[in-house]
Amino acid sequence: MPSYLGAIGTANPVHRIAQPQIADFMAQALAFGDNEARKLRALYRVSGIEHRYSVLPDYGRANGDYTFFPNTPTLEPFPSVGQRMAVYRREALPLATEAVRDCLRQVPDVAPASITHLVTVSCTGMYAPGLDIELVQALGLRPDVRRTCVNFMGCYAAVNAVKLADAFCLADAHARVLIVSVELCTLHFQKSPEEDHLISNALFGDGAAACLVQAAPLPNGAPSLALQAFHCGLEPDGHDDMAWHINDFGFEMTLSSYVPKLIQRGIRSLTDGLLNSLPVQLADIRHFAIHPGGRKILETIEAELGLTREDNRHAYRVLRDYGNMSSATVLFVLREVLAHASPADRGAPVLSFAFGPGLTMEAMLLEIAVSDEPARAKTHQQEETADKAGLLSIH
């Protein structure tokens, strides 16, 4: 029996900033002349992004009055890793908690006390005692909840978290796994005119997503995603084209313009590797949840696999409204799939991809499941246990 992913919650910081405003900030921060600034704004216009979110208001303030970056013409002294991690520690927990609340509101019969496993995901910050322990305390989870941290894997990390949750549920039919991904990518702006940094500065935003994985689909006709199969591919030639390093002034992303070509070269074999042992062919699939690493990546996959822009509509919408939020992004796209699923989609396969450093390419095959079973009432013993622990509501 498969395990099921459902009830995906999302959250973003309060600062929603238009892409042209961010371009103005970047042009000023990089001290670009008119010609360079014009090229930079053109890059932002063709990105497919209209807005991004940030825990920092500064990206919408091209004329100074910054709250994080120094109010100097050159932004010097440029913020250190320590300063950036201080903001991460302050902002990650509230954002993650908001995403979990959004998730659990969709499943009112699920008490926090019933969560058996917690998997946290992030590549944009870390500390110890970490986000996992703080979430246990903030959400009122049981102190013996089994905690796993998936750190620093990049944009494909949520797929690995789903793999872990699937394994937990297959090993224990009573497992109930909460996955929480939080990424504050905009903390890591690099003041550099190198192409890699210009591209990453144009793409990444902040966001959090949380989802529930368990051995049964959601009740009362709410759609879930049955986890059918996973497959991982590597393109070692891309080792230096997509990378993530901790340096003195933040985490530095290497994201070369060659990445779409690497994905083009490997996406067909990745798809074949996933589907070869399954009774599903690519032609049977009409639902897609592709990580929108960038507009060019989406277009490359469409061309290679014979997809249309309409097939990829959920990824384009997430890219347009949020940008690339690293590991949280594919969960935003899967939320779109669930939001638009209907009873007529019962049993329909969903193909999902995510990409990251390595160059790593992850694939998942899911299936839309719609259960007719009503929600199970809590037993008296479950309610009594939760009452004693004070866990029936999220604090």
Side-chain angles (χ1 to χ4, degrees):
M1 293 291 291
S3 49
Y4 296 84
L5 185 157
I8 303 174
T10 60
N12 296 93
V14 297
H15 305 296
R16 180 175 180 263
I17 307 171
Q19 190 77 326
Q21 286 182 280
I22 304 173
D24 290 342
F25 169 90
M26 296 295 175
Q28 180 172 309
L30 294 166
F32 276 178
D34 290 344
N35 188 49
E36 292 170 311
R38 185 166 54 252
K39 291 178 180 177
L40 184 71
R41 292 187 179 98
L43 172 66
Y44 279 62
R45 280 197 303 273
V46 301
S47 65
I49 301 169
E50 292 183 2
H51 295 87
R52 285 182 278 162
Y53 290 81
S54 176
V55 294
L56 303 175
D58 296 6
Y59 296 107
R61 301 175 176 178
N63 296 317
D65 193 25
Y66 301 135
T67 63
F68 177 67
F69 296 106
N71 283 283
T72 61
T74 59
L75 302 186
E76 296 293 344
F78 205 46
S80 66
V81 171
Q83 291 172 295
R84 296 170 199 248
M85 289 301 94
V87 177
Y88 180 91
R89 185 165 187 175
R90 183 184 74 226
E91 301 289 346
L93 178 64
L95 194 63
T97 303
E98 184 181 346
V100 174
R101 287 189 174 124
D102 186 36
C103 169
L104 295 185
R105 270 194 296 264
Q106 301 168 47
V107 282
D109 61 310
V110 174
S114 69
I115 302 296
T116 60
H117 296 71
L118 173 65
V119 181
T120 56
V121 185
S122 188
C123 72
T124 50
M126 59 191 79
Y127 54 94
L131 179 64
D132 57 328
I133 292 176
E134 292 183 347
L135 280 170
V136 170
Q137 297 168 337
L139 301 174
L141 303 183
R142 296 198 322 245
D144 65 343
V145 68
R146 300 176 188 179
R147 296 176 283 114
T148 305
C149 303
V150 178
N151 294 127
F152 219 68
M153 297 188 81
C155 297
Y156 67 89
V159 177
N160 281 279
V162 173
K163 287 181 185 179
L164 283 170
D166 182 50
F168 296 151
C169 291
L170 293 178
D172 178 3
H174 300 291
R176 182 169 275 167
V177 187
L178 179 65
I179 297 173
V180 185
S181 167
V182 58
E183 301 288 13
L184 306 186
C185 305
T186 65
L187 292 180
H188 300 291
F189 159 56
Q190 296 299 306
K191 192 183 61 171
S192 164
E194 295 180 13
E195 182 184 52
D196 291 349
H197 293 150
L198 295 181
I199 293 172
S200 60
N201 289 341
L203 292 177
F204 286 94
D206 298 350
C211 65
L212 196 66
V213 178
Q214 57 187 8
L218 298 182
N220 296 331
S224 303
L225 295 168
L227 305 177
Q228 299 292 327
F230 302 91
H231 188 71
C232 178
L234 284 173
E235 282 292 325
D237 289 349
H239 183 273
D240 296 326
D241 291 278
M242 188 183 288
W244 192 225
H245 300 286
I246 300 176
N247 286 316
D248 293 340
F249 299 100
F251 300 178
E252 292 189 18
M253 166 64 75
T254 298
L255 187 63
S256 84
S257 58
Y258 191 58
V259 167
K261 295 184 184 298
L262 291 164
I263 292 175
Q264 179 184 33
R265 195 167 72 190
I267 196 68
R268 170 63 70 170
S269 62
L270 179 74
T271 305
D272 291 343
L274 176 71
L275 301 180
N276 275 343
S277 61
L278 301 172
V280 177
Q281 297 180 350
L282 181 60
D284 301 326
I285 301 173
R286 293 290 178 268
H287 300 273
F288 297 87
I290 299 175
H291 168 66
R295 180 183 61 84
K296 184 64 175 175
I297 288 175
L298 295 178
E299 292 173 348
T300 296
I301 294 171
E302 290 165 11
E304 194 64 19
L305 298 184
L307 310 184
T308 67
R309 187 180 178 93
E310 177 64 15
D311 291 331
N312 234 354
R313 62 192 180 279
H314 301 309
Y316 280 112
R317 183 187 178 280
V318 170
L319 181 67
R320 180 194 70 198
D321 293 344
Y322 304 98
N324 183 344
M325 298 167 288
S326 192
S327 69
T329 319
V330 73
L331 295 177
F332 273 67
V333 181
L334 287 168
R335 178 182 168 120
E336 288 290 306
V337 172
L338 283 175
H340 291 86
S342 70
D345 293 315
R346 187 196 306 259
V350 179
L351 181 59
S352 181
F353 299 123
F355 317 98
L359 183 115
T360 302
M361 297 186 292
E362 291 279 0
M364 295 189 291
L365 186 72
L366 312 98
E367 183 180 286
I368 296 174
V370 182
S371 173
D372 297 324
E373 293 186 12
R376 294 181 182 178
K378 297 185 186 74
T379 67
H380 176 73
Q381 183 179 4
Q382 286 174 322
E383 290 182 342
E384 186 179 63
T385 301
D387 280 332
K388 285 179 179 178
L391 301 177
L392 285 178
S393 62
I394 296 176
H395 304 303

